Amino acid sequence: MAVVPSSFLSLLVLCGGLCYAAVSPLNQIQESYPDSAVVTRVRQAETRIEQQLQGKSSVKRKLALDQILLDVVAPISEVDPQFLSVTIDSGDISRNWSGITFTAQRIINMAQGLTPAMLRVGGTSGDFLIFNSSTAETVQQSNFTMTPQQWDEVNKFVETVGWDFVFGLNALLRTPYPNGSWDSDNGRMLLSYSTSKNYTVQWELGNEPDMWGTPIPAEDHAKDFLTLRDLVAEEKTLGKMLIGPDVAYNRDYFTEFIQSLPEGVLSATTYHQYYGNGNTAKLAQCYDVNLLDSYIHDAIDFQGTTEALQPQANVWLGETSSFYDGGAPHLSDTYVAGFMWLDKLGVAAVVGHKRVFRQDFIGGSYSLLDGDQNPLPDYWLSLLYKKLVGTKVLYIKGSLDYGRNLRSYAHCAKPPYPAGSVVLLLLNTNFTTATVELLNEELASSYRDVFWLSPPAGDLTSTSVLLNGVLLELVDNRDLPHLVPAEDSPGSSFSVPSISFGFVVFKDTKIPACTS
């Protein structure tokens, strides 16, 4: 990465005229919720930036579309240490955890590389899953049984790798289906067994209720959660978190559901998001800024709705990846899908989400590990994220604007980097190199570590990935390699290679947002 001299507070991104008009979606959520906390946080960060710019005559007062200003005074939000988490689909239980060898050391090593994290076992199949046996009436689809042994296997796995665990109970067990209330007998059986084994499990109830063939009204589903709350309270050793409603997309259902619950019942509200259908996905969609932008409104909307109606609850993106229906073969499992994953992590952190669950750890074309349990490019991207990115989120002016070809997000860097260090997440969606000019004096004067990911031979659909030009692979087919940065000297600018992404850590800064 080339270097040139400079100073002041921000980043100037020279897009060669390829950046187009940026528009903020914040006003839209503010119309629905005038006192929205997420909008307030962004406005406050904007004000801090303006205050920092006062008296700096060499910085343009009217910002051009290609300027990005970094607020170094205070974080805009703080994510959970388990922010990047993973899922395994409930359907894998029906196949006796096919493709997952929980006791294999290489699997344990790769899982521990993502610690701290939470594992969510859920999905569509969860609403057809029965622990041991049940006499409750259910939908007309093949149900399947989860045995105690299968439950033991996944619980022992999360204990071994140091993950927390959330499990989705079957909400379509009803007396009778569909108009009756949730039949909790089978859930009670699983909770009692878990207590007897001293397992700590958090609980969901139902998956994508807005997609059920015969809809159960949101108000009725909320009553099911009150039943679950009472059931969990009876068990002394279980986790006490209740998470839901895990909607697929329906904001009205989401709103009515959380409105129907008293404050304090939910620990986190959840929704799911994908960029499109895996059966029809195209290569160019993976780095299309218009498609990437489509997530921004969703994130702000669900965050703002929760903060207004259930302010004590966190917001989790409970299931997500590139494309739904198992992902897009030869796209979701390749380098190019990293644009969608890294950008989504950036947006979710800025708006205030606490956790993002990647579908899947293993299983489907969109998983982090392939069918042979080998790491795919998004695994390596996730591993780097876990190594570098801290919990404090910094605001870059324009982080939630539409139309950004070079997309930038910032966090305080994670130890062992010293307090005050900053990590930038950078994505260049153009087929031309971008030049980033650092106008912040602390950043420009800092040595930096560069962790840049690129595909071998420029093949965007490669299932392998290079870190600073070196192929990433397991050592002895089992152990994680050292992730070695390229070192870059201080200077005011550097180049961002075309159609690529990565991380730049400014390790000598002591900005207030990351030292307090």
Side-chain angles (χ1 to χ4, degrees):
M1 291 190 169
V3 197
V4 197
S6 159
S7 62
F8 299 119
L9 166 76
S10 62
L11 300 173
L12 171 60
V13 180
L14 306 176
C15 301
L18 293 175
C19 292
Y20 51 86
V23 186
S24 174
L26 291 170
N27 291 337
Q28 296 170 290
I29 189 66
Q30 198 166 26
E31 289 177 6
S32 301
Y33 303 107
D35 299 323
S36 170
V38 62
V39 175
T40 299
R41 289 194 298 271
V42 173
R43 302 298 188 217
Q44 289 173 342
E46 296 270 0
T47 300
R48 288 194 297 268
I49 285 175
E50 287 300 317
Q51 291 171 343
Q52 294 166 67
L53 290 176
Q54 289 176 5
K56 299 185 185 296
S57 57
S58 59
V59 177
K60 294 179 181 179
R61 300 300 303 159
K62 291 185 178 179
L63 300 177
L65 297 177
D66 57 2
Q67 286 183 326
I68 299 175
L69 301 176
L70 174 65
D71 175 18
V72 299
V73 173
I76 188 173
S77 63
E78 188 163 356
V79 300
D80 192 275
Q82 298 177 332
F83 177 69
L84 193 164
S85 288
V86 298
T87 74
I88 294 175
D89 196 275
S90 299
D92 287 329
I93 301 172
S94 68
R95 297 179 288 274
N96 198 26
W97 298 119
S98 62
I100 310 168
T101 309
F102 285 130
T103 57
Q105 191 59 50
R106 66 199 304 269
I107 295 291
I108 292 171
N109 292 344
M110 286 187 282
Q112 287 177 330
L114 302 182
T115 302
M118 174 175 265
L119 173 66
R120 173 198 183 239
V121 174
T124 302
S125 297
D127 285 315
F128 307 102
L129 180 151
I130 297 170
F131 180 64
N132 281 345
S133 63
S134 174
T135 57
E137 185 177 353
T138 187
V139 294
Q140 297 302 309
Q141 180 167 332
S142 297
N143 296 317
F144 63 95
T145 297
M146 177 176 68
T147 66
Q149 179 183 351
Q150 291 170 323
W151 185 240
D152 292 342
E153 287 172 348
V154 68
N155 275 278
K156 289 175 182 176
F157 173 70
V158 295
E159 289 176 2
T160 298
V161 302
W163 289 355
D164 285 345
F165 186 29
V166 59
F167 183 78
L169 294 167
N170 185 341
L172 295 186
L173 291 170
R174 310 192 74 80
T175 53
Y177 179 84
N179 298 318
S181 60
W182 177 53
D183 185 330
S184 62
D185 286 351
N186 196 252
R188 183 188 301 274
M189 185 186 301
L190 179 58
L191 268 65
S192 296
Y193 179 80
S194 299
T195 296
S196 72
K197 303 288 282 191
N198 291 318
Y199 295 148
T200 300
V201 187
Q202 319 302 336
W203 304 97
E204 294 177 340
L205 178 58
N207 180 79
E208 298 182 353
D210 51 326
M211 296 286 286
W212 288 337
T214 303
I216 294 169
E219 185 177 359
D220 290 349
H221 191 38
K223 293 176 182 176
D224 299 337
F225 269 74
L226 296 179
T227 302
L228 177 58
R229 177 195 60 182
D230 295 340
L231 190 63
V232 168
E234 296 174 9
E235 305 292 341
K236 291 185 172 52
T237 63
L238 288 172
K240 302 301 182 186
M241 296 176 68
L242 298 187
I243 297 103
D246 279 301
V247 296
Y249 65 89
N250 192 315
R251 293 177 180 84
D252 291 339
Y253 194 103
F254 179 89
T255 301
E256 185 179 346
F257 172 85
I258 65 174
Q259 276 180 324
S260 301
L261 285 172
E263 284 191 25
V265 174
L266 291 177
S267 299
T269 66
T270 47
Y271 69 99
H272 300 174
Q273 190 273 345
Y274 294 89
Y275 289 106
N277 190 334
N279 298 305
T280 58
K282 306 298 182 187
L283 173 67
Q285 289 180 290
C286 296
Y287 50 85
D288 180 351
V289 295
N290 295 308
L291 194 56
L292 297 178
D293 287 345
S294 68
Y295 174 57
I296 296 173
H297 183 269
D298 288 346
I300 293 174
D301 195 353
F302 285 109
Q303 182 76 31
T305 302
T306 298
E307 289 177 343
L309 301 177
Q310 289 282 344
Q312 88 296 333
N314 294 322
V315 182
W316 295 359
L317 179 48
E319 179 186 309
T320 192
S321 192
S322 49
F323 302 100
Y324 62 80
D325 201 14
H330 313 301
L331 289 180
S332 296
D333 51 354
T334 70
Y335 171 84
V336 74
F339 286 97
M340 292 179 157
W341 183 221
L342 187 57
D343 192 70
K344 188 176 296 179
L345 291 169
V347 170
V350 171
V351 302
H353 289 11
K354 295 300 184 184
R355 297 184 192 178
V356 175
F357 287 79
R358 171 59 184 255
Q359 179 89 351
D360 279 320
F361 178 59
I362 186 167
S365 296
Y366 47 28
S367 61
L368 298 181
L369 309 182
D370 68 16
D372 294 322
Q373 306 179 9
N374 296 312
L376 290 164
D378 274 1
Y379 173 81
W380 297 114
L381 174 57
S382 300
L383 185 66
L384 275 170
Y385 192 99
K386 285 289 187 178
K387 173 185 174 70
L388 303 173
V389 179
T391 58
K392 291 182 179 179
V393 186
L394 307 179
Y395 179 71
I396 294 178
K397 190 172 180 66
S399 293
L400 300 178
D401 285 351
Y402 298 142
R404 295 167 293 126
N405 294 109
L406 193 141
R407 305 170 79 87
S408 305
Y409 306 96
H411 286 242
C412 299
K414 199 172 184 178
Y417 286 105
S421 302
V422 176
V423 55
L424 294 185
L425 291 57
L426 295 168
L427 306 89
N428 184 1
T429 64
N430 278 328
F431 280 87
T432 56
T433 299
T435 301
V436 177
E437 185 178 351
L438 298 169
L439 301 182
N440 179 287
E441 191 169 306
E442 297 92 338
L443 298 185
S445 62
S446 173
Y447 283 89
R448 48 199 182 233
D449 284 348
V450 179
F451 298 83
W452 208 256
L453 295 168
S454 60
D459 179 8
L460 295 177
T461 58
S462 174
T463 55
S464 299
V465 64
L466 307 176
L467 174 61
N468 299 323
V470 177
L471 181 68
L472 285 172
E473 55 187 344
L474 296 175
V475 177
D476 297 328
N477 201 33
R478 186 187 68 176
D479 299 323
L480 296 176
H482 293 295
L483 302 174
V484 182
E487 296 183 351
D488 202 1
S489 299
S492 65
S493 69
F494 56 83
S495 298
V496 180
S498 63
I499 214 74
S500 68
F501 46 81
F503 305 83
V504 180
V505 181
F506 297 82
K507 53 188 179 179
D508 302 322
T509 61
K510 291 181 172 57
I511 67 168
C514 296
T515 53
S516 58

